[in-house]
Amino acid sequence: MSPRDAILSRLGGTATIGAIDSEAAALLIAPERPRVDPARLEETFLAMLTLPSVAATVDRIASLDDLPHAVARYLAAQSLPPRLCVPPDPRVAAGDWSTMTLHEQVAPDENAVLAFARCGVAETGSLVFETSPKAPMLPNFLALHHIVVVPRIVAQLEDAMLGGLQPRAHYWVTGVSGTTDIEGTYVRGAHGPRFLHVVLVD
């Protein structure tokens, strides 16, 4: 029997129909995906962020007052100058950035950009951003280093959309940009930032 005949015989047989029914019934026994334990949101989120496929580094601060120091510490660790592209967000203006040079206009070869996520998603390690006049989208895709402040963590993807007025657009980031299009070799930063640094606010 040829491979083609074997496939057609399997598709037309009653045994295949029974197998499909069994597989469908098995899918209903347990949830399609496991629920995230609400008591372990941060632990789950951090575990996802540090997977090789996401490849993020993480810092934690007590409040936004500590953000300038956390950013300066990261830039110094990466041997980068104390220059940062920031969004026109009032949360930036509230901090003491006297040791750094800030600018809002992003350059095509920007070293580092700061952004505020709407939230982090423990289920996938994703960061959820929303567009607004104080949160331009373009800087998040041009910089080499993407420094993201995460004010809260939700359990599942659907939880990120709950509550309040919704912006015109959301965009979701899970890890750094990468591709294997170039001779099958994984290359980071091909379509966006090469490094992702997440700052959690307690």
Side-chain angles (χ1 to χ4, degrees):
M1 179 182 294
S2 70
R4 178 179 181 276
D5 292 337
I7 292 172
L8 291 176
S9 66
R10 290 181 61 191
L11 291 176
T14 56
T16 301
I17 296 175
I20 292 175
D21 289 343
S22 298
E23 290 178 11
L27 291 174
L28 298 176
I29 295 174
E32 183 177 351
R33 63 185 186 214
R35 298 295 296 177
V36 175
D37 184 353
R40 302 178 59 192
L41 286 185
E42 184 174 308
E43 180 182 343
T44 305
F45 183 57
L46 291 176
M48 295 302 297
L49 282 178
T50 53
L51 287 175
S53 57
V54 179
T57 55
V58 182
D59 195 0
R60 182 181 283 104
I61 57 177
S63 71
L64 287 178
D65 292 338
D66 300 323
L67 181 58
H69 300 292
V71 172
R73 184 166 58 244
Y74 174 77
L75 295 180
Q78 301 298 319
S79 300
L80 295 172
R83 288 177 48 82
L84 184 68
C85 180
V86 297
D89 191 303
R91 289 173 290 186
V92 174
D96 178 11
W97 300 90
S98 57
T99 61
M100 301 186 63
T101 302
L102 306 183
H103 59 281
E104 293 182 4
Q105 189 65 38
V106 64
D109 58 347
E110 196 72 53
N111 270 329
V113 65
L114 178 70
F116 289 86
R118 175 189 180 103
C119 62
V121 182
E123 177 188 8
T124 60
S126 300
L127 304 172
V128 182
F129 298 91
E130 51 191 22
T131 58
S132 74
K134 66 180 183 180
M137 181 174 61
L138 183 61
N140 298 312
F141 296 98
L142 290 182
L144 182 65
H145 295 260
H146 196 196
I147 304 172
V148 182
V149 180
V150 176
R152 66 188 181 100
I153 303 170
V154 298
Q156 312 284 154
L157 293 169
E158 295 83 357
D159 299 332
M161 298 294 99
L162 297 177
L165 294 174
Q166 300 298 325
R168 175 171 293 185
H170 293 94
Y171 53 105
W172 305 64
V173 173
T174 307
V176 297
S177 166
T179 183
T180 55
D181 292 343
I182 305 171
E183 298 183 354
T185 302
Y186 178 63
V187 178
R188 286 174 54 174
H191 308 296
R194 187 179 301 170
F195 303 98
L196 173 62
H197 183 64
V198 173
V199 180
L200 296 177
V201 182
D202 288 341

